[in-house]
Amino acid sequence: HPLLVAAMGRWGIVTPPRVAGFLAQVAHESGECQRLEEGLSYTAERLMVVWSERFPTVEAATPYARAPEALANHVYANRLGNGGPASGDGWRFRGRGLIQLTGRNNYSDAAVELGEPYIDDPGLVATPPHAALTAGWYWHTAKGNALADSAQIDSITRAINGPGMLHAAERRSATDDILRVFDAGLA
């Protein structure tokens, strides 16, 4: 897509390892580029898997099951620059865009760097032009190019998704698949 190609060009995501690493992460984070906003409607059982430290029991998870706004305000409270649960920041600055930009600090940093009103209008990040632009920007801030250049795929996953390494094997596999396309001369 031209918006994605433009964002990749802007941030120097132009070599096969960089493109493969970036596209693998973006594809995973956005459900193969089908979802530009974080899906937060989980069953209690799934909450115990995704956020096991926060929801160690079904009883702890049940109030947040199938309650996206309450869940976001709970799990993102007092982190990533967000205020407490009552501030609404968790919901306001939930994951959006192709890389699931999350938290007031990331929205603010992107707003400053890109000259866009993401704090006043965080929903912009879920629109295609901004979804692509913020994905490239976040990759850049996470030093994705340097990590891709040295084939540090797990380090890219940590930089994009945090220390949990969620779906690391799938991200490695997708990166390898994309690199095979380049190697075959099909890209």
Side-chain angles (χ1 to χ4, degrees), residues 4-168:
L4 194 54
V5 171
M8 292 166 59
R10 177 174 179 169
W11 301 107
I13 308 165
V14 295
T15 65
R18 292 174 181 189
V19 170
F22 178 73
L23 291 179
Q25 295 293 328
V26 161
H28 184 79
E29 291 292 316
S30 65
E32 305 297 324
C33 299
Q34 298 298 307
R35 187 179 59 239
L36 297 181
E37 193 165 307
E38 184 175 16
L40 290 164
S41 185
Y42 294 102
T43 64
E45 293 76 16
R46 184 69 182 147
L47 287 171
M48 293 171 56
V49 172
V50 175
W51 283 290
S52 58
E53 291 181 15
R54 294 179 186 272
F55 302 111
T57 65
V58 171
E59 293 76 25
T62 298
Y64 302 98
R66 303 286 185 217
E69 187 170 349
L71 175 62
N73 286 329
H74 176 71
V75 298
Y76 296 134
N78 300 310
R79 40 187 305 251
L80 305 169
N82 292 340
S87 73
D89 282 353
W91 179 249
R92 188 174 305 109
F93 301 110
R94 66 191 175 274
R96 289 188 183 95
L98 289 171
I99 211 124
Q100 298 297 304
L101 191 70
T102 307
R104 180 182 281 276
N105 286 348
N106 285 324
Y107 277 74
S108 178
D109 290 349
V112 168
E113 180 75 23
L114 300 171
E116 298 291 346
Y118 299 139
I119 294 297
D120 294 332
D121 189 1
L124 278 176
V125 177
T127 65
H130 296 279
L133 184 61
T134 57
W137 170 81
Y138 193 81
W139 172 269
H140 171 75
T141 65
K143 308 214 179 330
N145 284 344
L147 295 170
D149 290 346
S150 57
Q152 295 182 56
I153 306 309
D154 285 346
S155 294
I156 294 170
T157 297
R158 276 186 209 90
I160 300 299
N161 194 253
M165 295 295 290
L166 195 59
H167 303 284

